[in-house]
Amino acid sequence: MTCYSSALSTVAYAPSNAAVRLLSLNNRHRSATSKTVHLVRHAEGSHNLSEEDSKLPAHFDATLTAKGVKQCNLLAQHTRNLDVEAVLVSPLTRCLETARLSFPHLYAKESNNCNQHVPFIAHEEWRETVNYLCDCRSPTQVLEKNYPRVNFDHITHENDPIWSHYEDIYGTSTVHTSMRESGDANSLYNRAHLAWKVLLSRPERQLALVGHSAFFMHMFTPLFEELEGVVQYEDDDVRELMTGGRFDNCELRSVVVDVPI
């Protein structure tokens, strides 16, 4: 079982053990490998205004609305008080813009909190489930020009490999107007494992992650049997935090993550 036809990885995972363990911030049973992660859903995008309209070409790689920008500015007042050593971000424009605006003190060339350069790193593994044109990302060269502070070295394809994968299966957006990746449990399972592997392999202990509601949902409150147990909850507080409801636009939730046992 592979993720996509050489699009993300050729690593195969057997459906058995968890990809990650989550603990609440007040859980004292941390290990030398644990990390604090601040998960943020992107702010309001143009595609969030109407579910039906979100499928239209006008929302290709959807951008933030004026309300979404305001949401980021409000969140930025809180993130200044967080200890963040690196920011991982989906390569979709709405997440890149949310990261830039919600962590402005870190996105500046030099951090205002310390002398170290806090990296922003884009990862294909953490992007939204790929269903409609709003979930199709822009070419890498465009993103690099628009977000020069973001490291795109891990984005190995100029054009969107996941969209191309499903377009080969289902056809163009005018031919197939329904779900694509959201109906592919094997793909979601593999990508979830890859996403947590990327995060857990980072050397930093304090991370921010800017991602998407549906991909979060498939891991924290999975619809598919294949994804049950991908995330292992170590206490009731973190379980309630992560399963109590889907992320709102620009919502931040903080947890401790660790390698599975």
Side-chain angles (χ1 to χ4, degrees), residues 152-227:
F152 291 94
D153 289 350
H154 298 282
I155 307 299
T156 57
H157 294 71
E158 174 63 21
N159 295 309
D160 190 334
I162 308 180
W163 180 266
S164 296
H165 170 77
Y166 288 106
E167 193 170 58
D168 288 343
I169 297 172
Y170 296 108
T172 66
S173 61
T174 55
V175 172
H176 183 82
T177 60
S178 187
M179 293 187 303
R180 295 170 186 248
E181 191 181 19
S182 284
D184 188 346
N186 287 342
S187 170
L188 293 170
Y189 174 87
N190 278 322
R191 190 146 72 85
H193 270 273
L194 287 166
W196 288 113
K197 182 178 180 181
V198 163
L199 187 148
L200 290 168
S201 68
R202 293 295 308 178
E204 300 87 1
R205 300 293 298 276
Q206 305 282 337
L207 297 163
L209 169 66
V210 183
H212 302 266
S213 174
F215 191 52
F216 286 164
M217 177 270 293
H218 280 293
M219 294 185 291
F220 301 134
T221 56
L223 301 177
F224 293 108
E225 180 180 359
E226 289 89 338
L227 280 91

Side-chain angles (χ1 to χ4, degrees), residues 28-151:
R28 297 182 180 181
H29 300 289
R30 303 190 185 190
S31 74
T33 57
S34 66
K35 305 175 186 292
T36 298
V37 179
H38 308 286
L39 297 105
V40 179
R41 181 195 176 190
H42 65 78
E44 183 185 78
S46 62
H47 67 304
N48 292 135
L49 298 178
S50 167
E51 182 176 354
E52 189 60 33
D53 288 348
S54 68
K55 303 175 184 179
L56 298 176
H59 300 288
F60 171 85
D61 195 8
T63 58
L64 297 187
T65 64
K67 179 180 178 180
V69 172
K70 292 180 181 179
Q71 291 172 333
C72 292
N73 293 336
L74 287 173
L75 181 59
Q77 299 176 20
H78 173 66
T79 62
R80 292 180 182 277
N81 299 319
L82 300 178
D83 182 11
V84 174
E85 300 172 286
V87 180
L88 306 188
V89 58
S90 156
L92 296 186
T93 294
R94 55 188 179 272
C95 280
L96 293 164
E97 193 68 0
T98 297
R100 182 181 74 85
L101 295 174
S102 298
F103 297 87
H105 59 301
L106 302 180
Y107 193 84
K109 186 173 182 180
E110 294 295 337
S111 169
N112 293 331
N113 292 340
C114 63
N115 294 325
Q116 294 181 340
H117 188 70
V118 175
F120 284 64
I121 311 105
H123 282 283
E124 204 93 76
E125 292 85 350
W126 279 103
R127 58 185 294 180
E128 183 60 299
T129 52
V130 179
N131 296 304
Y132 311 112
L133 284 174
C134 60
D135 306 318
C136 183
R137 71 162 170 83
S138 299
T140 305
Q141 288 186 359
V142 173
L143 299 175
E144 288 175 331
K145 180 179 178 180
N146 292 339
Y147 301 96
R149 265 286 277 117
V150 178
N151 183 331

